[in-house]
Amino acid sequence: MADLSDSVTLLTGVGPKRIQALKELGIATIHDLLYHFPFRYEDLKVKDLNEISDQEKVTLKGIVVATPILTRFGPNRNRLVVRLLVQQQVVIVTFFNQPWLKDRFVPDQEIAIFGKWDQRRQSMTGMKIFTAQGDDHGMDAIYSVNKGIHQGVLIKLIKEAFDKYKTLIPESVPASIRAHYRLLNEQQIVGQMHFPKDNAEAKAARRSAIFREFFLFECKIQRLRGIERSVGNGVALHYQLPAVQEFISKLPFELTHGQKQAVNEIAKDMKSPHQMNRLLQGDVGSGKTVVAAIAMFSAITAGYQTALMVPTEILATQHFEKLSALFATMDVKTALLTGSTPTKARTQILEALRTGKINVLIGTHALIQDTVNFKNLGFVVIDEQHRFGVDQRKKLREKGIAPDVLMMTATPIPRTLAITTYGEMDVSSIREMPQGRLPVKTSWVKNKQSEQVQTFLAGQLAHKNQAFVISPLIEESETMDLKNAQALYETYVTAFEPKYKVALLHGQMNNADKNAIMTAFSQDEIQILVSTTVVEVGVDVPNATVMIIYDADRFGLSQLHQLRGRVGRGVKQAYCILIADPKNDIAVQRMTAMVATNDGFELSEKDLELRGPGDVFGAKQSGLPDFKVGDPVADFNVLQAAQIEAQQIFSTDPDLDLPDHQGLKTYLRHFGAIEQLD
Ligand code: ADP
Ligand code: MG
């Protein structure tokens, strides 16, 4: 029996060449073809001369005033000029290289022509002729095609497929939901997406198609989560509440509201038997590390080991020191493991780890080496999670038996992407800063003002403060990066030495040299640190109050915000100075946004708006699903509604047993797989 999984080869005229061309468009079955929707339409309705604009494609109706004139320039090049009287005005319509059209134009006859309007010349390049009466000539759907297949051919195939298969198109969105949101049924969606009578029909179809697409996507995610949970593949961590409370009460400060909420969300996950997969996001300095420490401590009271993986050695060392201090009163044994841990110490650590004498292991990629074996790893924290690949995160997870995983990021994910890309992850957000912290003051200056910047810097240095200076980012050229940084370093040496010490940090230095410089900077032996961004400057130097960024317009918003987060970590007022002569409007908007707000969440939304969702993390690695009709940013409300409906269904009828859910069940059985989820 025929159904939508039939191959397109069953259609007329589909031979090997077209099969290949269709395959390149992602079309193999009738289903693929019917859901290969147009990306726009051309409205062929007749328009009034004074409601059209330059270069618009429109249909005009008029009377042919004279026999058209055909001029030939060469064997295959010619021009047909038709004079058309439209609303008391003569409009010249030119058709190129279609001499056979000459006979279609009979003087004194009314005709409608579709073409591209030239406002200045008050003329048109003709593309299509309509002889039918009336003003309504329907809509033309425009598809993405390739060399091997033309619009016309594709449309013909879709038409044939639709005529043959339309009654076989199954419903996937439950009828109750369709009724509630007044959505078209699936046959109507497909029919009107491809062959709308008018704009209103096309719009109605699109609206329903977007909901359908988002809804089915969210259902896939819900189902996936359901599978993970029902297997009960995690371990319930029974932490000892009094001990955890004691630990929290010994902290030198009160937790912020956001921290408390994050701690509660994590605790709930830990208690439950499913494997936690949670992202904790919050600006630099919002107190994520403390939250992670509480969670790790809880896991320890439940009898498990924990691990914290960070992207750089400097950061690992700093975390190790911070956490060791926090855990000092609680009889918790911590250890640091990085690439530069000496062999002997390493052997001892690995042994203590195997026997369970170490409670918390902190380190870099060194943690995922094969020789690292835990006794019972139950809780894993990954800081700056986006800096690690999927495989690396997986490797660390596999050091334990389904440990709970907490990932942390200071690059907040816009809410649109939290629902889509990270649909399989739970998200906790800390939106406020601990009390008493002064927001960084940001200003944007032009290159010609860089002398004033140095004067300002001199003032700050006189108050015993320190500064970061970030040199321009030259994409794809480390050599150029280094040259730039060196030149900038010379400038600062000339201006500030010997009174203050200036140092250069760049990506081609080895780890030992980098560490030595960072240590000297944090101990105020260096006052000005000139650096390329290639270098991770993710280190706490509370005395650094100035961040100067050259050619700031070359950086993305999230990168700028990260850099700014390096200052303002102490009690003194901090400053971020962006030096830029932006060349386009988007760069101007980025500078303006940086000056306007210190809120990383707000900036991430702005970033998304300015760059489009595909660019946020680089299209490929973002794992952002490739929606065909809907736009997760522009259609966010629909996405949200679709998510709520999907959640509702799976919380009340997880196995999709209700009659109204049978279509959905069948759909998910065929198309339920989601790519890219790790
Ligand atoms: P993050 O990891 O989010 O960048 P940290 O956890 O390192 O932030 O915290 C930044 C600084 O703020 C640390 O010195 C930490 O001790 C301090 N801190 C954290 N939470 C609070 C709080 N609730 N009140 C005051 N200071 C806090
Ligand atoms: Mg941190």
Side-chain angles (χ1 to χ4, degrees), residues 283-285 287-289 315 319 322 383-384 408 410 566 569:
D283 268 333
V284 171
K288 297 183 296 295
T289 310
L315 221 51
H319 269 111
K322 255 196 212 172
D383 197 11
E384 307 290 343
M408 304 202 288
R566 295 294 138 218
R569 314 197 78 173

Side-chain angles (χ1 to χ4, degrees), residues 413-429:
I413 288 144
R415 51 193 191 130
T416 30
L417 299 189
I419 290 189
T420 55
T421 315
Y422 294 98
E424 85 287 11
M425 236 192 300
D426 293 301
V427 180
S428 295
S429 305

